Amino acid sequence: MSDTVLSVRNISKSFGGIHAVNDVSFDVGKGEVLGLIGPNGSGKSTLFNCVLGQLPADAGEVQIHGQRVGQMRASRLNKLGVGRTFQQLSVFPQMSVLDNIILAGQEHHGSMASRLFGPSDAGLTAEADRMIQFFKLEHLRDEMAGSLSYGQQKLVDAAMAFMAGPSLVLLDEPAGGVNLTMLANLKDRLETYNREHGTTFVVIEHNMEFVMTLCTRIIVLAEGAIIAEGTPDEIRSNQQVIDAYLGG
Amino acid sequence: MTTKMVRILFPLAALALLVLIPLGQGNYIIYVMTSWLMFSIAAMGLNLTLGYAGQISLAQASFMGIGAYITALLTLAGYHWVVGWVAAMGACFGIGLLLGYPALRVQHHFLAFVTLAFNTLVFLVLRNEEWLTGGNHGLVGMPRPSFFGISTGKNLEFYYFVLILFVISAAVFYWIVNSPWGRAFKALRENPVRAESLGVDTRRITLLAFAIGSAFGGGAGAIMSPLVQFIEPGSFALVHSLKILLMVVVGGAGLFYGPMLGAAVVILLPEFLRFTEGYYLMIYAALVIVLMVYSPTGLIGLGTKLWQQIRPQSEVRKDMSKGAQL
Ligand SMILES: Nc1ncnc2c1ncn2[C@@H]1O[C@H](COP(=O)(O)OP(=O)(O)O)[C@@H](O)[C@H]1O
Ligand SMILES: [Mg+2]
């Protein structure tokens, strides 16, 4: 596949005696929305962290746009066009929503010197406002991120992952703890972004309705290994998945 | 008045006061005010490292010491003070950068211990390397500089000279914390892992937080040499680093005016409490504890809290009118 954006080969990771991720391989093509599901503790977040250099994998190899990323630091990966969110909510609580969003883009503009001597917004206010508008956060623009509701902070968190114009975005439970209205908004925004920019997504999510309608392909993890892979319809009718997870 | 107007008018009004207050005052008051401006510069630097970037440092007094000794040695050797000033800040920038390396590996109280050890190390070097530093006797007789024939020899003249340096330092500080670097410093403080994932080179930003903060300390030290005209290792011992830390914390860490207010309190309060004689340290310590418990963001945080209780309430609940969207 020439348009493979992310290629994961034989990744394994143990914590002491726990095999959190066990020999996992998959590819994700350009514009695909891949869902990653599985029971709690099945290794989804650990897999993300290994792919993104946040944790060193014990074995295996990750390529992004054909480039081996090995032990590359998260900031370098981000500059290669990889955006992400964490399972734990992670906005900057004592900065305004606008500053959160600008921060997410500023390291991609100019040099260290221009970020000291140039304009204080790194020339990004207009672009940040467009992102804020895209995620329908206009009325919260100048509020401290920490004063927002949990769901609103989740939206800010997601918006930050897009600010650098990434070609690949990994979202760890973006819908967790988000109320229904905001969930519909979030899904709509992700779909729109994917359609308009051809961005590739990998999404970890527990909300089945959300995953089944958003994703084009789904991988099911159990105890650190892939037990099924297919379209949402195939996954829904897969007996092994129903036994291990959906039925459970 | 809009917030923006206050932002411009307040520093101008404060500056006017700083120009006018010392007129007609005695030497002692002028000396205390000069000393306050000097410590404010040192505390500004620590505010960048600790308040904005979240990296604890108990070594700010040692950077004042390095700056003071470099300036003293250079001016005693006949160089102009400006040469000493630039050398002091440059050296402290470099040494601060090195001190930042442990911060890449350890955090919080471990980092506090590392910087504490560094402060002690500098103290010992200043005390033991007598051939260079004069040991316990220190260095004396540093001249006050002249600029284009204008002398700063008299106390009031020297005060205005330090006021100019203070304004320059504050302007540079304001520029830095409001630049994208400042945003990266705050991001480092609030969530380093998230910051790194958004492209912030957190290693480089950590080192810079130490280097810049230390350079401010060196700049303050460069003022101390001609101000006191006598320096000795004891002026830069650990207790003075703790004092600068107190200035930052009492005034309000991570707030622009915090350390300036904090330095005023830490320098002036003991004077006001002098009538209590032996008890003043205890009263002082008790006041600090009460403040920290009630308002971790220091006096400015306390002031903001009180203001929010008494100001008109119409603006507070924005979510009431926008409830439908939330
Ligand atoms: N930092 C860690 N140290 C030790 N064990 C961990 C760590 N992170 C995850 N684990 C363990 O690895 C397994 C997979 O966890 P995780 O990847 O968070 O699962 P998921 O995201 O699918 O819920 C769990 O058993 C968890 O307890
Ligand atoms: Mg998880």
Side-chain angles (χ1 to χ4, degrees), chain A residues 39-46 87-88 172-173 204 206:
Chain A
N40 263 327
S42 57
K44 306 181 297 294
S45 295
T46 304
Q87 180 169 352
Q88 299 293 328
D172 196 343
E173 303 200 12
I204 295 177
H206 274 300

Side-chain angles (χ1 to χ4, degrees), chain B residues 28-80:
Chain B
Y28 180 69
I29 290 189
I30 291 174
Y31 173 82
V32 169
M33 288 187 72
T34 313
S35 176
W36 165 63
L37 291 175
M38 177 186 72
F39 273 109
S40 291
I41 295 172
M44 244 180 245
L46 184 59
N47 192 27
L48 186 97
T49 313
L50 173 69
Y52 283 84
Q55 309 297 309
I56 180 92
S57 168
L58 293 178
Q60 192 68 344
S62 64
F63 288 105
M64 279 184 82
I66 293 168
Y69 273 85
I70 287 178
T71 310
L73 290 168
L74 286 172
T75 51
L76 287 173
Y79 289 95
H80 193 273

Side-chain angles (χ1 to χ4, degrees), chain A residues 230-242:
Chain A
T231 63
D233 283 336
E234 287 164 359
I235 294 298
R236 240 192 291 262
S237 54
N238 182 313
Q239 194 55 45
Q240 210 185 346
V241 175
I242 294 170

Side-chain angles (χ1 to χ4, degrees), chain B residues 5 25 33 46 109 113 189 206 229 241 262 289 309:
Chain B
M5 276 167 71
Q25 301 287 355
M33 288 187 72
L46 184 59
H109 43 288
F113 278 119
R189 171 188 75 195
T206 305
Q229 297 180 297
S241 283
I289 292 170
Q309 308 230 320

Side-chain angles (χ1 to χ4, degrees), chain B:
Chain B
M1 270 206 294
T2 64
T3 334
K4 200 167 183 180
M5 276 167 71
V6 174
R7 257 188 211 144
I8 296 169
L9 288 179
F10 175 75
L12 290 179
L15 186 59
L17 281 178
L18 290 180
V19 170
L20 295 176
I21 288 176
L23 292 173
Q25 301 287 355
N27 274 338
Y28 180 69
I29 290 189
I30 291 174
Y31 173 82
V32 169
M33 288 187 72
T34 313
S35 176
W36 165 63
L37 291 175
M38 177 186 72
F39 273 109
S40 291
I41 295 172
M44 244 180 245
L46 184 59
N47 192 27
L48 186 97
T49 313
L50 173 69
Y52 283 84
Q55 309 297 309
I56 180 92
S57 168
L58 293 178
Q60 192 68 344
S62 64
F63 288 105
M64 279 184 82
I66 293 168
Y69 273 85
I70 287 178
T71 310
L73 290 168
L74 286 172
T75 51
L76 287 173
Y79 289 95
H80 193 273
W81 178 85
V82 167
V83 177
W85 184 52
V86 171
M89 291 187 56
C92 288
F93 185 92
I95 298 169
L97 201 67
L98 293 179
L99 184 63
Y101 274 91
L104 302 178
R105 313 210 118 258
V106 297
Q107 285 282 307
H108 309 301
H109 43 288
F110 292 108
L111 186 56
F113 278 119
V114 171
T115 54
L116 181 152
F118 175 78
N119 200 113
T120 310
L121 177 72
V122 170
F123 173 80
L124 290 176
V125 169
L126 294 180
R127 202 190 61 186
N128 295 345
E129 301 303 311
E130 287 186 26
W131 59 276
L132 185 67
T133 64
N136 273 329
H137 302 295
L139 299 170
V140 286
M142 288 73 80
R144 289 185 176 176
S146 297
F147 294 88
F148 312 108
I150 304 168
S151 155
T152 65
K154 295 212 181 67
N155 284 340
L156 189 62
E157 293 163 355
F158 194 76
Y159 169 84
Y160 286 122
F161 164 61
V162 175
L163 182 59
I164 290 169
L165 293 173
F166 170 80
V167 170
I168 293 171
S169 304
V172 169
F173 183 79
Y174 185 85
W175 180 269
I176 293 173
V177 298
N178 285 290
S179 73
W181 283 27
R183 203 177 284 112
F185 286 138
K186 286 186 227 167
L188 174 69
R189 171 188 75 195
E190 299 194 6
N191 194 336
V193 172
R194 183 58 171 149
E196 178 82 30
S197 82
L198 293 169
V200 177
D201 188 335
T202 50
R203 296 165 63 109
R204 194 189 293 185
I205 266 313
T206 305
L207 296 178
L208 281 169
F210 272 94
I212 298 172
S214 306
F216 275 82
I223 294 170
M224 193 168 199
S225 281
L227 169 65
V228 190
Q229 297 180 297
F230 164 61
I231 53 173
E232 45 131 3
S235 308
F236 311 106
L238 183 63
V239 60
H240 296 282
S241 283
L242 293 173
K243 198 165 88 179
I244 300 169
L245 178 69
L246 200 59
M247 292 173 184
V248 173
V249 174
V250 164
L255 301 169
F256 180 72
Y257 291 107
M260 305 174 201
L261 180 64
V265 172
V266 171
I267 289 175
L268 293 179
L269 204 56
E271 305 288 327
F272 286 122
L273 291 176
R274 188 159 281 174
F275 71 93
T276 61
E277 296 179 0
Y279 292 106
Y280 104 80
L281 263 179
M282 284 161 72
I283 297 177
Y284 188 54
L287 285 176
V288 169
I289 292 170
V290 169
L291 176 69
M292 287 300 98
V293 169
Y294 188 67
S295 172
T297 44
L299 287 171
I300 292 188
L302 186 69
T304 315
K305 233 189 236 174
L306 292 177
W307 168 241
Q308 269 162 3
Q309 308 230 320
I310 56 171
R311 73 169 179 176
Q313 297 286 311
S314 60
E315 263 285 296
V316 177
R317 293 291 308 267
K318 263 194 193 145
D319 53 335
M320 296 299 240
S321 54
K322 306 235 174 167
Q325 293 178 43
L326 296 165

